[in-house]
Amino acid sequence: LPPLLAPPLPPGYPPQMLFSLLLLLVQPSPAASPAAPPACVPGTIKLGGQGPRVLAAPHGDFDAATGRIVDLACGTLKWACVVARGQRSKAHPVNVNRPTEGYGRKSEEERRTSCAEEVYAAWSTAVGSFSPKLYVEVHGNVRKELAGRLDVALVGVKEEDAKRLKKLLEGEREKHGLSWLEVRVEGLDAVKMKAGASKKWGELGKRAPALHFEFPRRAREEPERTARYLAAVLAAFSAD
């Protein structure tokens, strides 16, 4: 590697400023470090924070406001966060958190493509860089039958912890103006959004314990409110 060449300092700057500038050159900022972007589609994967608890939005802009919710909640929780934006569209429905493409399809109907594999590899590397002990994904849907409901899918979560999670989700609703939101948790209730494809061959299949939140559109219309709700629930759920 070629040596770092420091720029000349303006007149009047103390010599120790040179050392400070060199530190800024060689030290990455953990607050907003982008992962290497795949070449086959546009988009970014932003990493922030630190620690073994990871909050993530694989479809940060496609699932409207989920990236914003994760960014805000991470700021409160001081967790690690990973947010992908720009890779997924209806024309090119890369799934990001698994090596397939498909929009509105059953898991067995999704197509495995080289582009999807490339994007997923970048996503999985970004998540894995934090060695997560708890992995949480935030998604959104526009299904009419789920317009007033939050579905939570689980991986490797004990029944007593699932019950505790549901109690927290229900208990925090009114405090955050979400009393209208029905809460269903996999294993305790009938859940539509089970994240089956990601469990089979994606990131949820690698991480345990893991939570997968599917927020309806109405909850995402005020991302600040939903971020505060989610942060309160996760802080209590993950407390040692």
Side-chain angles (χ1 to χ4, degrees):
L1 291 175
L4 284 172
L5 298 178
L9 291 173
Y13 273 71
Q16 54 266 40
M17 181 64 77
L18 176 60
F19 180 71
S20 299
L21 286 173
L22 286 173
L23 282 179
L24 289 174
L25 284 171
V26 301
Q27 290 184 349
S29 170
S33 301
C40 62
V41 288
T44 61
I45 298 175
K46 188 182 79 172
L47 286 70
Q50 58 188 349
R53 300 181 179 102
V54 177
L55 185 58
H59 312 145
D61 51 359
F62 186 84
D63 289 358
T66 55
R68 176 69 174 157
I69 289 168
V70 167
D71 286 339
L72 291 169
C74 272
T76 299
L77 290 165
K78 308 303 181 187
W79 285 18
C81 55
V82 185
V83 178
R85 290 181 171 94
Q87 295 88 351
R88 182 169 170 80
S89 65
K90 287 186 178 180
H92 203 168
V94 175
N95 284 317
V96 183
N97 66 344
R98 54 195 188 273
T100 58
E101 296 187 31
Y103 176 73
R105 297 182 178 186
K106 296 179 180 179
S107 59
E108 61 270 16
E109 296 173 348
E110 294 180 356
R111 296 182 302 111
R112 195 177 187 109
T113 67
S114 58
C115 182
E117 289 177 344
E118 184 180 351
V119 174
Y120 172 57
W123 175 262
S124 191
T125 298
V127 172
S129 68
F130 295 106
S131 301
K133 295 182 180 178
L134 174 62
Y135 177 62
V136 181
E137 284 190 0
V138 176
H139 294 261
N141 70 83
V142 293
R143 292 174 178 265
K144 292 181 179 179
E145 70 272 24
L146 302 180
R149 192 171 103 196
L150 167 64
D151 275 8
V152 185
L154 308 176
V155 178
V157 176
K158 297 177 182 178
E159 183 178 355
E160 58 265 35
D161 289 329
K163 290 179 178 178
R164 186 165 58 89
L165 176 62
K166 183 173 181 179
K167 185 177 180 179
L168 288 167
L169 286 165
E170 291 181 334
E172 290 288 337
R173 287 178 301 187
E174 189 169 352
K175 299 176 189 176
H176 295 88
L178 295 168
S179 56
W180 55 268
L181 185 65
E182 179 188 359
V183 173
R184 293 196 185 185
V185 175
E186 187 178 19
L188 306 178
D189 309 295
V191 171
K192 175 73 173 177
M193 310 300 283
K194 298 180 181 179
S198 185
K199 291 176 181 177
K200 289 177 184 176
W201 47 71
E203 201 62 22
L204 290 178
K206 293 181 177 181
R207 311 296 173 192
L211 313 176
H212 177 280
F213 288 84
E214 277 277 355
F215 283 100
R217 177 185 293 177
R218 182 179 172 186
R220 292 177 284 120
E221 288 174 348
E222 295 185 77
E224 293 80 9
R225 182 191 302 275
T226 299
R228 290 192 296 268
Y229 168 66
L230 182 62
V233 168
L234 291 177
F237 179 74
S238 63
D240 294 330

